[in-house]
Amino acid sequence: MLKRSIFFYMLLISVVLTGCAKRGGITGGPKDTIPPVMVGSLPKNMSTNFTGKEIRIDFDEYIKVKDISKQLIISPPLKYQPDIVPMGSASKFISIKIKDTLPENTTYNFNFGQSITDNNEGNPYTQFRFVFSTGPYIDSLRVNGEIKDAHDIKTDNFVTVMLYEANEKFNDSTIYKEKPLYVTNTLDSLKLFSIQNIKAGKYHLFAMKDVAKNYVYNPKSDKLAYLGAPLNVPNDTLFRLELFKEKLPFASQKPELVSSNRWYIPYEGSGARKITASVKNAVTGAEVRSRITAEKNKDSLNLWLPRGIKDSLKLAVEQPGGQKLYTLKYKELKAADSLTVDAVQKGGLHYTERFTLKTSTPIDNIDLAKISLVNKDSVAVPFKHTYDDFEQEIIFDFNRTENEKYKMRLLPGALTDFYGKKNDTLTYKLATKPYTDYGNLYLELKNIKRFPVIVELTNEKGEVLVSAYSEKETKIDFKLLEPREYIIRLIYDDNKNREWDTGDYQKKLQPEEVIYKMDEKNPDKIKKIDVRAIWDFSEFIDGGG
C-alpha cells in the first residue's frame, strides 16, 4: 500500500508540473548570420615575389564554394582557368592550382564575389579578394565607375569591365581577339565597378555583357560600352559607361518553303525593311513577280510568289554585304495563303490610337470609293489612310468625338491582294468613351541641351505607348491618355531620323542619349506617372543641360 501511495503521489506531481510548464518547440538557438573569415593562407594575402603554383586559403569554419565560374574574377585574366578544390563539398580550406606561367612584376587580384559561403546557413564572404604580386610590390591604383543601359531602364548584371593598355599594339580589332590587361565584374547586384591593383599608365576602358565569358567582344551576342578617349591612371574620376547592342548588318539565310505561294527568308541583323529582292525562272531567266513583307515576331521575311510555280527559281537578295543568291526548289505543295482581314483594335478606340486593319496577304490596290465611315447618326466621317506594305497594315485616321459610335464598311472589291483576290463585305464597329474617362499630362522640357528631341511615354517594359517630336517646343501636351502608369523618356535625336540609334564601335559612334524622368524624392529611382481619369497632371523632365 505504501509503494502504491508513493507512486500515485509522484504521478500527481508530474502532471501538475507538466501543466504548469510553458509550451514551445526546440529552437536550436539564434540563426547564424556571420560569414566565414579567412584565418590564414599560404602564401599570405598581399604577398610579393610570388613564384609558386598553388595557393591555400584557410577559414574559421566549414565553407562551400559555389557558382565559381560566374563569381570568380581574376585580374589580369589567366590563359587557363585554375583548378579550385573542393567544389560543392564542405571544407575549411580552398586550394587554387595555377596552370599558367605568370609574368614577372604583375599584381594578381582574385575576387571571389559571392562564391564562398558558410556550410550551414550559406552566409557569403562578400567580395573576398586574394591579392599577390610576382614582383617586389603590390600595384594599388584603381579605376572606378558605374554601368547603365544606354536605352532601357534595367541594366544587365554580371557586366565585365576591362582595361587595355593604350600602346602601339592596341587597335580597333583588339577587343575582338585579345583579352584585356585588367578586369572586374559587376556580378549579380552591383552597378558600380572598381578595377583594382592597377599599375600607373594609360588605358582604354570598356564594359561588356560577355555572354560567352571569354573576355573578347562578339557583336552578335554581346553588349558593349566604351570610353571615347584613353584615360590616365591614377585617376579619381567616376567614369560612366552605357551599354548598347550594336545593329549588325542584314544577312539573309537559306529560304524555307512554308506554303505553295510563300517562302520564309530567315535573317540576322537589322534593316530588313530596306531589303530588296528579285526572283527569276532558273531555266528561262524570266522575271517572276514577287513581294517581300515582314513576318510578325520572327526574324524572317515573307517572300510572296505567284501560285502554281513548279520550276526552280533563282532568288537574289540585295543586302549590305553584297548580293546573295539562292535556288528555290519546290517540294510537295502545301495549302496556299488566302486573303483575310483582321482589325487590330476591336470595339473600343482610344484617342491616342489609329484604327488599323492587318491583312494576311499583301495588298495591291485599295479602292476608297468602296470604303465608308459613318457615325451613329449615319453621317459620313472624312478619313485618311496609309498602307504599310512591309507590315501589311492599312491605317485609318479621322477626327473623333466623345461618346460616339462609328461604323466602317468595306464593300466587296475594296481591297485587292497580290493574287487578285478581293474582300467580301467587311464591317467594323468602333466606339469612343467620354473625355472624362481619360487624363491629361502637360509636360515641360527643362535644360534641353539641343533639338530635336523625342519624348516617349512608355510602360515598365519600355514599350512606347505615346510619343511626340519636338524641334523647338519645350511644352508638350499629352491629352486624353488612357488611365495607367507612364514612364517619361527623352531621346536626343542627333541624326534627326525620329528614332533612337544605338552605338557603333567601328564608326566610333556612341548611342544617342536617353534620359528618364527620375523621382524627385529618390533620384536613383525612375518616376512612374499615375495618370487618372478626369485629372490634369503637370510634370517636367530635366534634359541635363
Short mmCIF file of all heavy atoms in Angstrom, two decimals, residues 352-400:
data_model
loop_
_atom_site.label_atom_id
_atom_site.label_comp_id
_atom_site.label_asym_id
_atom_site.label_seq_id
_atom_site.Cartn_x
_atom_site.Cartn_y
_atom_site.Cartn_z
N THR A 352 -5.59 58.05 -78.58
CA THR A 352 -4.18 58.02 -78.99
C THR A 352 -3.91 56.95 -80.04
O THR A 352 -2.77 56.78 -80.47
CB THR A 352 -3.27 57.77 -77.77
OG1 THR A 352 -3.69 56.57 -77.11
CG2 THR A 352 -3.34 58.94 -76.79
N GLU A 353 -4.95 56.20 -80.44
CA GLU A 353 -4.78 55.11 -81.41
C GLU A 353 -5.31 55.52 -82.78
O GLU A 353 -6.14 56.42 -82.91
CB GLU A 353 -5.54 53.86 -80.94
CG GLU A 353 -5.04 53.26 -79.65
CD GLU A 353 -5.89 52.07 -79.22
OE1 GLU A 353 -7.13 52.13 -79.40
OE2 GLU A 353 -5.32 51.10 -78.71
N ARG A 354 -4.85 54.80 -83.78
CA ARG A 354 -5.40 54.92 -85.13
C ARG A 354 -5.94 53.55 -85.53
O ARG A 354 -5.28 52.53 -85.29
CB ARG A 354 -4.34 55.39 -86.12
CG ARG A 354 -3.86 56.82 -85.86
CD ARG A 354 -2.93 57.31 -86.95
NE ARG A 354 -1.70 56.53 -87.00
CZ ARG A 354 -0.79 56.64 -87.96
NH1 ARG A 354 -0.98 57.49 -88.96
NH2 ARG A 354 0.30 55.91 -87.93
N PHE A 355 -7.12 53.54 -86.10
CA PHE A 355 -7.75 52.28 -86.46
C PHE A 355 -6.93 51.59 -87.56
O PHE A 355 -6.60 52.20 -88.58
CB PHE A 355 -9.17 52.51 -86.95
CG PHE A 355 -9.89 51.24 -87.29
CD1 PHE A 355 -10.03 50.22 -86.36
CD2 PHE A 355 -10.44 51.05 -88.57
CE1 PHE A 355 -10.68 49.05 -86.69
CE2 PHE A 355 -11.09 49.88 -88.89
CZ PHE A 355 -11.22 48.88 -87.94
N THR A 356 -6.59 50.32 -87.31
CA THR A 356 -5.67 49.60 -88.19
C THR A 356 -6.24 48.25 -88.60
O THR A 356 -6.74 47.49 -87.75
CB THR A 356 -4.32 49.39 -87.49
OG1 THR A 356 -3.79 50.66 -87.10
CG2 THR A 356 -3.32 48.70 -88.41
N LEU A 357 -6.15 47.94 -89.89
CA LEU A 357 -6.51 46.63 -90.42
C LEU A 357 -5.24 45.93 -90.88
O LEU A 357 -4.41 46.51 -91.57
CB LEU A 357 -7.48 46.76 -91.60
CG LEU A 357 -8.84 47.39 -91.31
CD1 LEU A 357 -9.64 47.50 -92.60
CD2 LEU A 357 -9.61 46.59 -90.26
N LYS A 358 -5.12 44.67 -90.49
CA LYS A 358 -3.96 43.86 -90.90
C LYS A 358 -4.43 42.76 -91.82
O LYS A 358 -5.40 42.06 -91.51
CB LYS A 358 -3.24 43.27 -89.69
CG LYS A 358 -1.89 42.65 -90.03
CD LYS A 358 -1.08 42.37 -88.79
CE LYS A 358 0.31 41.86 -89.12
NZ LYS A 358 1.16 42.87 -89.77
N THR A 359 -3.75 42.62 -92.96
CA THR A 359 -4.17 41.63 -93.96
C THR A 359 -3.22 40.44 -93.96
O THR A 359 -2.03 40.57 -93.64
CB THR A 359 -4.20 42.27 -95.36
OG1 THR A 359 -2.88 42.66 -95.73
CG2 THR A 359 -5.12 43.48 -95.37
N SER A 360 -3.74 39.30 -94.31
CA SER A 360 -2.93 38.08 -94.31
C SER A 360 -2.05 37.95 -95.55
O SER A 360 -1.07 37.21 -95.55
CB SER A 360 -3.84 36.85 -94.22
OG SER A 360 -4.74 36.84 -95.31
N THR A 361 -2.42 38.65 -96.62
CA THR A 361 -1.62 38.66 -97.86
C THR A 361 -1.36 40.12 -98.24
O THR A 361 -2.11 41.02 -97.84
CB THR A 361 -2.36 37.94 -99.01
OG1 THR A 361 -3.67 38.50 -99.13
CG2 THR A 361 -2.45 36.44 -98.74
N PRO A 362 -0.32 40.39 -99.03
CA PRO A 362 -0.04 41.77 -99.41
C PRO A 362 -1.17 42.34 -100.28
O PRO A 362 -1.80 41.63 -101.06
CB PRO A 362 1.26 41.66 -100.22
CG PRO A 362 1.85 40.34 -99.86
CD PRO A 362 0.70 39.44 -99.54
N ILE A 363 -1.41 43.64 -100.12
CA ILE A 363 -2.47 44.32 -100.87
C ILE A 363 -1.87 45.07 -102.06
O ILE A 363 -0.87 45.78 -101.92
CB ILE A 363 -3.23 45.30 -99.96
CG1 ILE A 363 -3.90 44.53 -98.82
CG2 ILE A 363 -4.25 46.10 -100.74
CD1 ILE A 363 -4.91 43.50 -99.27
N ASP A 364 -2.50 44.90 -103.22
CA ASP A 364 -2.07 45.61 -104.42
C ASP A 364 -2.86 46.88 -104.67
O ASP A 364 -2.35 47.85 -105.23
CB ASP A 364 -2.22 44.69 -105.65
CG ASP A 364 -0.92 43.96 -105.96
OD1 ASP A 364 0.06 44.15 -105.23
OD2 ASP A 364 -0.91 43.17 -106.94
N ASN A 365 -4.14 46.87 -104.26
CA ASN A 365 -4.97 48.04 -104.57
C ASN A 365 -6.01 48.26 -103.47
O ASN A 365 -6.59 47.31 -102.93
CB ASN A 365 -5.71 47.85 -105.90
CG ASN A 365 -6.49 49.08 -106.30
OD1 ASN A 365 -5.92 50.15 -106.52
ND2 ASN A 365 -7.80 48.94 -106.35
N ILE A 366 -6.22 49.55 -103.13
CA ILE A 366 -7.25 49.95 -102.18
C ILE A 366 -8.20 50.91 -102.89
O ILE A 366 -7.78 51.98 -103.34
CB ILE A 366 -6.64 50.62 -100.94
CG1 ILE A 366 -5.67 49.66 -100.22
CG2 ILE A 366 -7.73 51.09 -99.98
CD1 ILE A 366 -4.91 50.30 -99.09
N ASP A 367 -9.47 50.52 -103.01
CA ASP A 367 -10.47 51.34 -103.69
C ASP A 367 -11.25 52.11 -102.63
O ASP A 367 -12.18 51.59 -102.01
CB ASP A 367 -11.40 50.44 -104.51
CG ASP A 367 -12.37 51.25 -105.38
OD1 ASP A 367 -12.45 52.48 -105.20
OD2 ASP A 367 -13.04 50.64 -106.23
N LEU A 368 -10.87 53.39 -102.44
CA LEU A 368 -11.50 54.19 -101.40
C LEU A 368 -12.98 54.44 -101.66
O LEU A 368 -13.75 54.70 -100.72
CB LEU A 368 -10.77 55.53 -101.26
CG LEU A 368 -9.32 55.44 -100.77
CD1 LEU A 368 -8.71 56.83 -100.70
CD2 LEU A 368 -9.25 54.77 -99.40
N ALA A 369 -13.40 54.36 -102.91
CA ALA A 369 -14.82 54.56 -103.23
C ALA A 369 -15.69 53.47 -102.61
O ALA A 369 -16.91 53.65 -102.46
CB ALA A 369 -15.02 54.60 -104.75
N LYS A 370 -15.09 52.37 -102.24
CA LYS A 370 -15.84 51.25 -101.66
C LYS A 370 -15.63 51.15 -100.15
O LYS A 370 -15.96 50.14 -99.54
CB LYS A 370 -15.43 49.95 -102.34
CG LYS A 370 -15.80 49.91 -103.82
CD LYS A 370 -15.40 48.60 -104.46
CE LYS A 370 -15.83 48.57 -105.93
NZ LYS A 370 -15.44 47.30 -106.60
N ILE A 371 -15.07 52.19 -99.55
CA ILE A 371 -14.86 52.22 -98.10
C ILE A 371 -15.61 53.43 -97.54
O ILE A 371 -15.46 54.55 -98.01
CB ILE A 371 -13.37 52.32 -97.74
CG1 ILE A 371 -12.59 51.14 -98.33
CG2 ILE A 371 -13.18 52.36 -96.21
CD1 ILE A 371 -11.09 51.20 -98.08
N SER A 372 -16.44 53.21 -96.53
CA SER A 372 -17.20 54.29 -95.92
C SER A 372 -17.03 54.25 -94.41
O SER A 372 -16.85 53.19 -93.80
CB SER A 372 -18.68 54.19 -96.28
OG SER A 372 -19.23 52.98 -95.78
N LEU A 373 -17.10 55.45 -93.80
CA LEU A 373 -17.05 55.57 -92.35
C LEU A 373 -18.16 56.54 -91.94
O LEU A 373 -18.22 57.67 -92.42
CB LEU A 373 -15.69 56.11 -91.91
CG LEU A 373 -15.51 56.37 -90.41
CD1 LEU A 373 -15.55 55.05 -89.63
CD2 LEU A 373 -14.20 57.09 -90.14
N VAL A 374 -19.06 56.09 -91.06
CA VAL A 374 -20.16 56.93 -90.61
C VAL A 374 -20.24 56.89 -89.09
O VAL A 374 -19.76 55.95 -88.45
CB VAL A 374 -21.51 56.48 -91.22
CG1 VAL A 374 -21.49 56.60 -92.73
CG2 VAL A 374 -21.85 55.06 -90.79
N ASN A 375 -20.87 57.94 -88.51
CA ASN A 375 -21.09 57.96 -87.07
C ASN A 375 -22.45 57.35 -86.74
O ASN A 375 -23.13 56.82 -87.63
CB ASN A 375 -20.93 59.37 -86.51
CG ASN A 375 -21.95 60.34 -87.09
OD1 ASN A 375 -22.97 59.94 -87.66
ND2 ASN A 375 -21.69 61.64 -86.92
N LYS A 376 -22.87 57.45 -85.48
CA LYS A 376 -24.11 56.79 -85.07
C LYS A 376 -25.35 57.41 -85.73
O LYS A 376 -26.41 56.78 -85.77
CB LYS A 376 -24.24 56.82 -83.55
CG LYS A 376 -24.30 58.21 -82.95
CD LYS A 376 -24.28 58.13 -81.43
CE LYS A 376 -24.22 59.51 -80.81
NZ LYS A 376 -24.07 59.45 -79.33
N ASP A 377 -25.19 58.66 -86.23
CA ASP A 377 -26.30 59.30 -86.95
C ASP A 377 -26.22 59.07 -88.45
O ASP A 377 -26.92 59.74 -89.22
CB ASP A 377 -26.29 60.81 -86.66
CG ASP A 377 -26.53 61.12 -85.19
OD1 ASP A 377 -27.32 60.39 -84.56
OD2 ASP A 377 -25.90 62.06 -84.67
N SER A 378 -25.37 58.14 -88.85
CA SER A 378 -25.17 57.79 -90.26
C SER A 378 -24.63 58.95 -91.08
O SER A 378 -24.80 58.99 -92.31
CB SER A 378 -26.48 57.28 -90.88
OG SER A 378 -26.91 56.11 -90.22
N VAL A 379 -23.95 59.87 -90.42
CA VAL A 379 -23.30 60.99 -91.11
C VAL A 379 -21.89 60.56 -91.49
O VAL A 379 -21.14 60.02 -90.66
CB VAL A 379 -23.25 62.25 -90.23
CG1 VAL A 379 -22.48 63.37 -90.92
CG2 VAL A 379 -24.66 62.69 -89.87
N ALA A 380 -21.54 60.78 -92.75
CA ALA A 380 -20.22 60.37 -93.23
C ALA A 380 -19.11 61.12 -92.48
O ALA A 380 -19.21 62.33 -92.24
CB ALA A 380 -20.10 60.62 -94.73
N VAL A 381 -18.07 60.41 -92.14
CA VAL A 381 -16.92 60.98 -91.43
C VAL A 381 -15.71 60.90 -92.35
O VAL A 381 -15.33 59.81 -92.79
CB VAL A 381 -16.63 60.21 -90.12
CG1 VAL A 381 -15.39 60.78 -89.43
CG2 VAL A 381 -17.84 60.25 -89.19
N PRO A 382 -15.08 62.05 -92.67
CA PRO A 382 -13.89 62.01 -93.54
C PRO A 382 -12.74 61.26 -92.85
O PRO A 382 -12.59 61.33 -91.63
CB PRO A 382 -13.54 63.49 -93.72
CG PRO A 382 -14.76 64.25 -93.30
CD PRO A 382 -15.45 63.41 -92.28
N PHE A 383 -11.96 60.59 -93.63
CA PHE A 383 -10.81 59.86 -93.08
C PHE A 383 -9.65 59.88 -94.07
O PHE A 383 -9.83 60.11 -95.27
CB PHE A 383 -11.19 58.42 -92.75
CG PHE A 383 -11.57 57.58 -93.94
CD1 PHE A 383 -10.62 56.88 -94.68
CD2 PHE A 383 -12.91 57.50 -94.34
CE1 PHE A 383 -10.97 56.13 -95.78
CE2 PHE A 383 -13.27 56.74 -95.45
CZ PHE A 383 -12.30 56.05 -96.17
N LYS A 384 -8.47 59.67 -93.53
CA LYS A 384 -7.27 59.49 -94.34
C LYS A 384 -6.73 58.09 -94.09
O LYS A 384 -7.03 57.48 -93.06
CB LYS A 384 -6.21 60.53 -93.97
CG LYS A 384 -6.63 61.96 -94.25
CD LYS A 384 -5.52 62.94 -93.84
CE LYS A 384 -5.93 64.38 -94.10
NZ LYS A 384 -4.86 65.34 -93.68
N HIS A 385 -5.93 57.61 -95.02
CA HIS A 385 -5.38 56.28 -94.82
C HIS A 385 -3.94 56.22 -95.34
O HIS A 385 -3.54 57.00 -96.21
CB HIS A 385 -6.23 55.23 -95.54
CG HIS A 385 -5.84 55.01 -96.98
ND1 HIS A 385 -6.11 55.94 -97.97
CD2 HIS A 385 -5.15 53.99 -97.58
CE1 HIS A 385 -5.63 55.49 -99.11
NE2 HIS A 385 -5.05 54.32 -98.92
N THR A 386 -3.20 55.30 -94.78
CA THR A 386 -1.87 54.95 -95.29
C THR A 386 -1.79 53.43 -95.31
O THR A 386 -2.44 52.75 -94.50
CB THR A 386 -0.74 55.52 -94.41
OG1 THR A 386 -0.92 55.05 -93.06
CG2 THR A 386 -0.73 57.03 -94.44
N TYR A 387 -0.97 52.92 -96.23
CA TYR A 387 -0.77 51.46 -96.30
C TYR A 387 0.70 51.15 -96.08
O TYR A 387 1.56 51.63 -96.83
CB TYR A 387 -1.24 50.90 -97.64
CG TYR A 387 -0.99 49.40 -97.76
CD1 TYR A 387 -1.49 48.52 -96.81
CD2 TYR A 387 -0.24 48.88 -98.82
CE1 TYR A 387 -1.27 47.15 -96.90
CE2 TYR A 387 -0.02 47.51 -98.91
CZ TYR A 387 -0.53 46.65 -97.96
OH TYR A 387 -0.29 45.29 -98.04
N ASP A 388 0.98 50.40 -95.03
CA ASP A 388 2.34 49.95 -94.74
C ASP A 388 2.51 48.58 -95.40
O ASP A 388 2.10 47.56 -94.86
CB ASP A 388 2.54 49.86 -93.23
CG ASP A 388 3.99 49.55 -92.85
OD1 ASP A 388 4.72 48.98 -93.68
OD2 ASP A 388 4.39 49.89 -91.72
N ASP A 389 3.13 48.60 -96.57
CA ASP A 389 3.26 47.38 -97.36
C ASP A 389 4.10 46.34 -96.62
O ASP A 389 3.80 45.15 -96.66
CB ASP A 389 3.89 47.72 -98.71
CG ASP A 389 3.95 46.51 -99.64
OD1 ASP A 389 2.92 45.83 -99.78
OD2 ASP A 389 5.02 46.24 -100.22
N PHE A 390 5.16 46.78 -95.94
CA PHE A 390 6.06 45.84 -95.27
C PHE A 390 5.34 45.12 -94.13
O PHE A 390 5.52 43.92 -93.93
CB PHE A 390 7.29 46.59 -94.76
CG PHE A 390 8.37 45.70 -94.21
CD1 PHE A 390 9.11 44.89 -95.04
CD2 PHE A 390 8.65 45.70 -92.85
CE1 PHE A 390 10.11 44.08 -94.54
CE2 PHE A 390 9.65 44.88 -92.34
CZ PHE A 390 10.39 44.07 -93.19
N GLU A 391 4.53 45.85 -93.37
CA GLU A 391 3.82 45.25 -92.23
C GLU A 391 2.44 44.73 -92.63
O GLU A 391 1.75 44.13 -91.79
CB GLU A 391 3.66 46.28 -91.11
CG GLU A 391 4.98 46.76 -90.52
CD GLU A 391 5.69 45.68 -89.72
OE1 GLU A 391 5.05 44.65 -89.39
OE2 GLU A 391 6.89 45.86 -89.43
N GLN A 392 2.01 44.99 -93.86
CA GLN A 392 0.69 44.59 -94.34
C GLN A 392 -0.43 45.18 -93.47
O GLN A 392 -1.34 44.49 -93.03
CB GLN A 392 0.57 43.05 -94.40
CG GLN A 392 1.50 42.42 -95.41
CD GLN A 392 1.50 40.89 -95.36
OE1 GLN A 392 2.53 40.26 -95.61
NE2 GLN A 392 0.38 40.29 -95.04
N GLU A 393 -0.34 46.49 -93.25
CA GLU A 393 -1.31 47.16 -92.41
C GLU A 393 -1.90 48.38 -93.13
O GLU A 393 -1.16 49.17 -93.73
CB GLU A 393 -0.67 47.64 -91.10
CG GLU A 393 -0.31 46.49 -90.17
CD GLU A 393 0.29 46.98 -88.87
OE1 GLU A 393 0.75 48.15 -88.79
OE2 GLU A 393 0.33 46.18 -87.90
N ILE A 394 -3.22 48.53 -93.05
CA ILE A 394 -3.92 49.71 -93.55
C ILE A 394 -4.30 50.54 -92.31
O ILE A 394 -5.01 50.05 -91.42
CB ILE A 394 -5.18 49.35 -94.34
CG1 ILE A 394 -4.87 48.29 -95.40
CG2 ILE A 394 -5.77 50.59 -95.01
CD1 ILE A 394 -6.10 47.69 -96.04
N ILE A 395 -3.82 51.78 -92.26
CA ILE A 395 -4.00 52.62 -91.07
C ILE A 395 -4.93 53.77 -91.43
O ILE A 395 -4.67 54.55 -92.36
CB ILE A 395 -2.65 53.14 -90.58
CG1 ILE A 395 -1.71 51.95 -90.30
CG2 ILE A 395 -2.82 54.00 -89.33
CD1 ILE A 395 -0.27 52.32 -90.21
N PHE A 396 -6.03 53.91 -90.67
CA PHE A 396 -7.02 54.95 -90.90
C PHE A 396 -6.94 56.00 -89.80
O PHE A 396 -6.81 55.67 -88.61
CB PHE A 396 -8.43 54.35 -90.93
CG PHE A 396 -8.65 53.38 -92.05
CD1 PHE A 396 -8.46 52.02 -91.86
CD2 PHE A 396 -9.05 53.83 -93.30
CE1 PHE A 396 -8.66 51.11 -92.89
CE2 PHE A 396 -9.27 52.93 -94.34
CZ PHE A 396 -9.06 51.57 -94.13
N ASP A 397 -7.04 57.26 -90.21
CA ASP A 397 -7.00 58.36 -89.25
C ASP A 397 -8.20 59.27 -89.50
O ASP A 397 -8.48 59.63 -90.65
CB ASP A 397 -5.69 59.14 -89.41
CG ASP A 397 -5.33 59.92 -88.16
OD1 ASP A 397 -6.05 59.77 -87.14
OD2 ASP A 397 -4.34 60.67 -88.19
N PHE A 398 -8.89 59.64 -88.42
CA PHE A 398 -10.04 60.52 -88.57
C PHE A 398 -10.29 61.22 -87.23
O PHE A 398 -9.86 60.76 -86.16
CB PHE A 398 -11.29 59.75 -89.01
CG PHE A 398 -11.69 58.63 -88.10
CD1 PHE A 398 -12.64 58.83 -87.11
CD2 PHE A 398 -11.11 57.36 -88.23
CE1 PHE A 398 -13.02 57.79 -86.27
CE2 PHE A 398 -11.50 56.32 -87.39
CZ PHE A 398 -12.44 56.54 -86.40
N ASN A 399 -10.95 62.37 -87.29
CA ASN A 399 -11.29 63.12 -86.07
C ASN A 399 -12.39 62.40 -85.32
O ASN A 399 -13.42 62.03 -85.90
CB ASN A 399 -11.73 64.54 -86.42
CG ASN A 399 -10.58 65.37 -86.96
OD1 ASN A 399 -9.43 65.20 -86.54
ND2 ASN A 399 -10.88 66.27 -87.88
N ARG A 400 -12.19 62.24 -84.01
CA ARG A 400 -13.16 61.52 -83.19
C ARG A 400 -13.75 62.45 -82.13
O ARG A 400 -13.05 63.34 -81.63
CB ARG A 400 -12.51 60.32 -82.50
CG ARG A 400 -12.29 59.16 -83.43
CD ARG A 400 -11.13 58.30 -82.96
NE ARG A 400 -9.86 58.87 -83.39
CZ ARG A 400 -8.68 58.38 -83.06
NH1 ARG A 400 -8.61 57.33 -82.29
NH2 ARG A 400 -7.59 58.94 -83.50
#
